[in-house]
Each structure stands twice: as C-alpha cells, then as structure tokens.
Amino acid sequence: MLHFADSLTFSGRKVVAAWAALPFPALSGSSLPDVLSAHQDVPWQFLSSWKQQKVSCCFAQSVVLRGICQEKATRSSLHSESPEEVLQQYFHTQFPGAFSTSHVLQQPCHTQPPFPKFFSPLLSRRGFLLDKAQDFSSAGVESIPVLAALQSCSALHWLLWGLCQELRVAQVQRWSSFFTSGLEQEEFQEALEEIQTLAQCYETAFGADGDEEEGDSD
C-alpha cells in the first residue's frame, strides 16, 4: 500500500485519501455509461472520521469499479469502448487534468457472513437498487457493486491542517504517557511543522487562506 500511495504522490505530497461507494448506487440491468451519467457528482464518501470536504482539485487517483457487468456496458452508444475507457472518460470529466487510472472488475464484493448487515431494504440480493423495498432482510444481500479510489486531492489539505490545529490546542505535554517512547517536546513541535508544510502541498488556488487564518486566530 505504501508503494501504491507513492505512485500517486508528487510535488512534496505524501498522503492519499481513500473513498468508497459501498454499495455503488446502480439499477439492475443498467449499462455502465447509464449508471455513471446518472451521477453528476461521484457518489462516494471520504473514508475518514474527519468532516468531508468537497474535492475542488484532484492531482492523481486510482479508481476501481467492481460488480457492474461488463457485457451490459458494451450494449450502449459507447459499444466500441471498453468499460475501463468509459470509466476513464467519466473521471476525466469529473477531475479534468488529474492523472487517473481506472479498472473495472466484473466480480462484485461478496457480503456473506461475517460481513455486517447494514444494507437498505431497497437493495436486491446482488446489491442493486430496487423501485420498492424487498421482502427479505438485509441478511439476504449476497453481494454488492463497489466503487473505490485512492486519491491525492485538495480534501487532504483540510484534513492535515485540521489535525495540526487540533494537536496544537491539545496540550499534549500534560499527557506523560505521550512522551514515554522518548519523544521530546521539540521533536513534537517539528512534527507539527512538518504536518503543516505537508498540508500546504495540497492547497489549491480555490482559496483556503481565509480558513487557515481563522483557524490560527482560534
């Protein structure tokens, strides 16, 4: 995973964000172009406890879509294009200028026990959207389509900057156990400065300075 993340980072960036749509919202029988065109914005969620920020800029990403039948994708106006090309075009539209790789796998994500059963009653056994609620429990969902990505993007600016600000006000010097490993206060401060510098590597021209100044004033 470390080497994979390194392949998506450059210009001083070292961190990537994980995103996922689990399950990917798709109607059964829809072609891949139809499924993707139904979503103006990518319907995934930021896999972090940090408050999600809208991605104003993506620098690089690797995306995997699984569980959407490739055969159905070829029965469309884009029949001459492979599913990977269809997905690549979609993300080129969503994040123009970003370095992007796309992969489409026919096999879905299997959800047999002990996979947690937290699914909506509006999902079929194969994890596709239904017009009305199913008559069996969420335990009946056997598999789901999934869209997932690792992404070097502007959202990491907010995450890293917020982490730095929280650590500055935490007064960790009061927690003796925090430094039992031999970490010195100066080393801790240096680490905070490195996080702040790293956060600036993800800053874009869409304007984060005002929010940073507000955070400093707090």
Side-chain angles (χ1 to χ4, degrees), residues 75-119:
R75 303 193 197 114
S76 66
S77 58
L78 299 178
H79 63 277
S80 62
E81 298 179 329
S82 68
E84 286 79 8
E85 290 173 331
V86 173
L87 191 62
Q88 188 78 2
Q89 286 188 6
Y90 174 75
F91 280 104
H92 176 72
T93 301
Q94 293 290 329
F95 306 107
F99 169 76
S100 180
T101 62
S102 301
H103 305 277
V104 177
L105 305 177
Q106 187 169 355
Q107 184 180 19
C109 176
H110 295 289
T111 57
Q112 286 88 357
F115 199 96
K117 301 302 178 181
F118 46 61
F119 301 112

Side-chain angles (χ1 to χ4, degrees), residues 118-201:
F118 46 61
F119 301 112
S120 165
L122 290 174
L123 289 183
S124 70
R125 294 184 184 276
R126 295 180 56 197
F128 290 97
L129 296 176
L130 299 171
D131 294 330
K132 60 180 181 179
Q134 60 187 355
D135 57 0
F136 55 89
S137 69
S138 62
V141 178
E142 300 173 352
S143 65
I144 54 174
V146 176
L147 177 67
L150 289 180
Q151 191 180 70
S152 175
C153 60
S154 57
L156 288 165
H157 169 81
W158 303 98
L159 187 149
L160 293 168
W161 186 267
L163 173 63
C164 185
Q165 296 304 310
E166 287 193 356
L167 290 174
R168 287 187 186 280
V169 301
Q171 297 182 342
V172 294
Q173 65 271 15
R174 296 182 179 180
W175 307 340
S176 58
S177 60
F178 195 89
F179 297 96
T180 55
S181 61
L183 180 67
E184 299 293 337
Q185 181 67 30
E186 291 184 359
E187 294 176 328
F188 177 73
Q189 294 300 325
E190 290 177 1
L192 286 181
E193 295 299 325
E194 291 179 359
I195 294 176
Q196 181 172 327
T197 300
L198 182 59
Q200 293 172 348
C201 292

Side-chain angles (χ1 to χ4, degrees), residues 41-53:
D41 297 320
V42 184
W44 54 28
Q45 297 293 321
F46 193 18
L47 300 185
S48 170
S49 58
W50 191 257
K51 182 180 179 181
Q52 179 179 343
Q53 298 287 341

